[in-house]
Amino acid sequence: MTEGTSKDGLVIVDKPGGMTSHDVVARIRRLAGTRKVGHAGTLDPMATGVLVLGVEKATRLLSYLTLTEKQYDATIRLGQSTSTDDAEGAVTGGASAAEVSAAALNNAVNGLTGEIQQVPPAVSAIKVDGQRAYRLARKGAPPELKPRTVTVCEFTVTAVHPAGDLLDVEATVRCSSGTYIRALARDLGGQLGTGGHLTRLRRTRVGGYGLEGARTLEQLAERFEVLPLAQAASAVFPRRDVSADEARRLAHGGRLTAEGHPERHRATQEHPTAAYAPDGSLVALLAEQDGQARPLVVFAGS
C-alpha cells in the first residue's frame, strides 16, 4: 500500500505483542501520511489489544480519552515475583502457591477491588525528579514511588491452572485510568504470601472503544481508514446538540448556558460533553461551571 492521505479521526488498533506503543504510532504515521499522530494510554510491549490513536485534529481528543475506564484480560502467575512485575523481568523470589485455596484467592481479589492505594511498578514511565522511573531502575537506583488512589471496578477470576508450585490465575479487570495491572498481579501475590507477576495482558476496551472495532496493523496496511471525529466522540462522551448560532459561538471560543439538568451528566474537564452542530459535525468538548458551558477544545473552524 502507498502512504495514505491523513484525515481527522481515531484509529483503534489491535496492538500485537513485542511492539511498543511508539512503534505503533510510527507505523500509523506512515500509513496516514502525517506526523500528527498520538495515542491514548500506553501498552507495554508484552501486552496486546486496544490501542487508541488519534490522527490530525483527533489528537486533541486523546488527553480526555486517557481518563476513561479500561478493561483487560490478564493471566497472573502466583508463586514467583519478578523485577518488572511481569514475565519480561528476572525472577526475584516467590513461595509455593500450590496450597492457595479458592477462598483465599477470592479474599485477596476482593481486597484489591474498589478504591485502593496502589504503588506503581518501579519499572514504569512515571517521572521522578524529571526522570522516568524505568530509567532510574535500569541504572540500579529504583525510585521509591508513592501509592496512588486507583479504582478497580471489577476483578473477576475466570479460571485457575495449577502447575506444580505455581498457580496461573486468569482474570478480567475493569479499572480507572492509571491502574497498573502488573502492580495488581504483584499485590495479589503479596497478599497471598506467594509472590506474583503478570504473564499475559490483553486490553479489551478503552472507554467506548473495544476489540470488536479494532483492526490489526496488517488490516490497516491493506486498507487504512479512520473513525471520523463525530463518530469517535459519540462512543465516549455524552452528547449535546447545539444550534447553528451556538455552534458558531463555540467555534470562536464563546460560552453557552449550561444545560441545567441536575439529574443528568454535568460536564467537567475530566468528563466533558461533546457538542454537535445541526449538520452532525463535532464542534467542541464542553465543561460546565457556574451555569456556563465553556469549550475545552474546539474542532469546528480550526
Side-chain angles (χ1 to χ4, degrees):
M1 170 179 168
T2 58
E3 292 183 348
T5 302
S6 64
K7 296 179 180 179
D8 304 313
L10 296 183
V11 182
I12 316 302
V13 177
D14 185 349
K15 186 187 95 63
M19 294 184 74
T20 67
S21 297
H22 184 73
D23 290 336
V24 178
V25 168
R27 186 77 63 86
I28 297 302
R29 281 174 175 163
R30 290 196 294 271
L31 294 175
T34 178
R35 289 198 57 78
K36 199 169 183 182
V37 176
H39 64 79
T42 301
L43 275 178
D44 291 335
M46 182 188 85
T48 67
V50 176
L51 184 65
V52 179
L53 287 84
V55 178
E56 293 289 349
K57 288 183 185 179
T59 56
R60 302 177 197 173
L61 286 174
L62 297 178
S63 61
Y64 301 98
L65 297 178
T66 58
L67 301 173
T68 59
E69 193 176 87
K70 299 173 176 65
Q71 184 167 312
Y72 301 86
D73 287 338
T75 302
I76 298 168
R77 176 158 293 172
L78 299 176
Q80 286 180 339
S81 300
T82 72
S83 57
T84 57
D85 301 326
D86 64 18
E88 297 192 332
V91 175
T92 56
S96 175
E99 302 302 319
V100 172
S101 67
L105 178 59
N106 287 333
N107 285 339
V109 164
N110 289 336
L112 292 168
T113 304
E115 189 176 279
I116 63 172
Q117 293 295 304
Q118 184 183 75
V119 178
V123 181
S124 65
I126 289 175
K127 284 190 174 181
V128 180
D129 296 330
Q131 294 193 62
R132 299 291 185 186
Y134 66 81
R135 289 179 180 161
L136 294 170
R138 287 171 184 168
K139 292 176 181 176
E144 286 191 22
L145 298 175
K146 296 180 180 179
R148 305 187 302 175
T149 301
V150 299
T151 301
V152 178
C153 309
E154 176 188 353
F155 189 177
T156 303
V157 174
T158 56
V160 293
H161 305 286
D165 287 336
L166 304 177
L167 183 67
D168 284 346
V169 178
E170 294 183 22
T172 296
V173 178
R174 186 166 51 86
C175 56
S176 64
S177 175
T179 305
Y180 282 88
I181 311 302
R182 283 187 287 144
L184 209 58
R186 174 201 66 202
D187 294 343
L188 182 65
Q191 288 202 15
L192 291 165
T194 62
H197 69 280
L198 194 67
T199 62
R200 180 185 66 92
L201 186 66
R202 183 158 176 76
R203 188 154 68 191
T204 57
R205 185 162 297 277
V206 174
Y209 314 115
L211 279 172
E212 67 278 1
R215 301 174 67 199
T216 65
L217 290 172
E218 290 75 17
Q219 289 171 328
L220 289 165
E222 291 177 4
R223 183 177 180 183
F224 184 77
E225 292 180 326
V226 301
L227 187 65
L229 270 176
Q231 187 178 346
S234 68
V236 175
F237 306 109
R239 180 185 183 109
R240 177 174 177 176
D241 291 297
V242 300
S243 68
D245 286 341
E246 289 174 325
R248 281 192 289 271
R249 194 184 315 167
L250 290 173
H252 290 89
R255 302 187 177 201
L256 305 180
T257 301
E259 287 196 298
H261 297 286
E263 72 280 3
R264 294 177 54 187
H265 163 92
R266 187 180 77 82
T268 64
Q269 186 159 338
E270 292 77 20
H271 303 285
T273 288
Y276 289 84
D279 64 359
S281 62
L282 178 65
V283 181
L285 296 183
L286 307 177
E288 295 180 3
Q289 187 176 10
D290 300 328
Q292 291 188 317
R294 62 181 179 87
L296 296 170
V297 56
V298 175
F299 300 96
S302 55

